[in-house]
Amino acid sequence: MQSSIPTPVTSRSEQSALSNRSFDQLEIAHLGSGHSLTVRPTFENTARWPLLALYALRGPASAVRPSGVTELKDAEFTVIRNVAPLEIHTGDSAELLVIRIPAGTLGPHASSMDSADGQIWSTAEGTASLVGHLLNGVAAQRPDYFPANPAQLAQHIVGLMALLCVDGRQAPDAHGRGRMLQLAKDYIESHLGDLDLTPDRIASHENVSTRTLHRLFESEGLTVRGWTRSRRLEHCRVDLADTSSAAIPVSAIGSRWGLWDAAHFSRLFKAAYGLSPRAYRSAVHTSGGAAGYVLPLSIDRHIA
């Protein structure tokens, strides 16, 4: 049977026919045994969904691109750039998840996921195992799982996939730099609301020099301030999309995540997402929730 992912999925009947689920703009299609799926990228949907992830609940499955063929066995995972026509085939008794990853969830993860194009990971152990368990759980609960905050769930799913892409390609780290970087990121994540979250403070907490801290982030093409800013903005975006936070002033949401200057917060948010915080909240809520709203194409711009 031949089918094609609609661009975008626009009705419940189409979703049902293709066994699709959407969490915010993250789209997950389930492909059963003996099926084929054609993904035909256009300029618009490539900008909105720049990456695809494939996860074989049961293999075998194959993804055919002009550049070659990717073969997946049981419980294997891969990320593919959504830039060329892709034909996906499942074998007898196979099941495959096809996940369209929206630009709005990538943020600081964009580089690590993009550079993982075509790599295959077994989900038998480590971070990959966590991704496998998560995707197995999503598949098992389809189509009856309706999270309270789909935007936040989408962010966590993509974040864990990105961590897999980073962990999976790292060479042995005799000096523990990868662990130091992750600990620094963990510290930042747990202190985003602090106004004095400076590189000096982060470095002091990690018992490294500020220069070493900067070099750790530079090894992934990042900056300390850029990472911190992008994480603050993404938490703000998720809160603004949450209808249960509709009564909280926009400025209070910015302050919650360390962006205390309302005008500065508004400028940063618009530069990253194409709309002011107030306009973004209005657009999401007017459309009936984050799952029904498509971020503007400027979302793929990342502020360093």
Side-chain angles (χ1 to χ4, degrees):
M1 181 180 296
Q2 181 80 16
S3 56
S4 175
I5 293 182
T7 310
V9 174
T10 56
S11 71
R12 287 191 177 273
S13 62
E14 286 174 309
Q15 287 179 318
S16 176
L18 288 165
S19 299
N20 275 19
R21 278 301 311 276
S22 295
F23 302 107
D24 192 29
Q25 293 304 304
L26 183 77
E27 295 187 357
I28 303 178
H30 176 269
L31 197 62
S33 61
H35 282 64
S36 295
L37 180 70
T38 300
V39 180
R40 300 183 181 91
T42 65
F43 173 80
E44 183 178 8
N45 69 39
T46 295
R48 289 175 175 170
W49 294 278
L51 296 169
L52 301 171
L54 307 180
Y55 175 63
L57 296 162
R58 293 198 304 269
S62 62
V64 184
R65 295 187 280 178
S67 59
V69 180
T70 300
E71 302 280 356
L72 294 176
K73 296 179 290 188
D74 288 355
E76 288 188 335
F77 174 89
T78 190
V79 174
I80 293 176
R81 294 190 188 108
N82 185 26
V83 295
L86 178 69
E87 292 184 3
I88 303 169
H89 308 282
T90 55
D92 294 340
S93 301
E95 288 185 273
L96 184 74
L97 296 184
V98 183
I99 305 162
R100 293 209 298 185
I101 301 174
T105 61
L106 289 171
H109 308 306
S111 177
S112 61
M113 295 198 75
D114 186 72
S115 63
D117 177 57
Q119 295 185 46
I120 299 173
W121 290 275
S122 166
T123 59
E125 59 184 10
T127 303
S129 176
L130 298 178
V131 173
H133 282 296
L134 175 62
L135 295 179
N136 285 330
V138 170
Q141 297 186 75
R142 195 194 75 257
D144 301 318
Y145 175 44
F146 297 96
N149 194 324
Q152 197 167 43
L153 176 65
Q155 187 67 40
H156 287 311
I157 291 174
V158 175
L160 198 56
M161 289 178 181
L163 185 59
L164 160 59
C165 293
V166 173
D167 287 356
R169 73 168 189 265
Q170 284 182 339
D173 185 3
H175 300 288
R177 292 190 178 90
R179 176 170 172 75
M180 283 192 289
L181 177 59
Q182 190 56 53
L183 288 173
K185 287 180 178 179
D186 290 346
Y187 182 77
I188 290 170
E189 194 73 15
S190 61
H191 292 83
L192 288 173
D194 297 353
L195 186 59
D196 62 342
L197 186 61
T198 63
D200 288 343
R201 173 182 160 186
I202 299 164
S204 176
H205 182 270
E206 299 305 315
N207 294 314
V208 298
S209 69
T210 303
R211 184 177 182 182
T212 296
L213 180 72
H214 285 303
R215 285 179 173 173
L216 289 172
F217 277 82
E218 288 167 3
S219 69
E220 289 194 353
L222 305 169
T223 67
V224 181
R225 293 187 186 280
W227 174 268
T228 303
R229 185 186 303 118
S230 67
R231 297 303 302 142
R232 282 171 164 164
L233 288 171
E234 183 54 30
H235 278 285
C236 290
R237 187 191 76 84
V238 170
D239 283 357
L240 289 167
D242 186 356
T243 54
S244 67
S245 300
I248 301 176
V250 167
S251 59
I253 288 177
S255 298
R256 173 190 291 174
W257 297 109
L259 298 169
W260 296 79
D261 185 320
H264 185 56
F265 166 44
S266 183
R267 286 194 298 271
L268 290 175
F269 192 95
K270 186 172 184 179
Y273 299 110
L275 294 172
S276 70
R278 194 176 305 279
Y280 174 77
R281 169 187 265 177
S282 176
V284 172
H285 293 187
T286 300
S287 68
Y293 178 68
V294 177
L295 286 164
L297 298 183
S298 58
I299 185 63
D300 61 347
R301 293 182 296 171
H302 173 58
I303 302 174

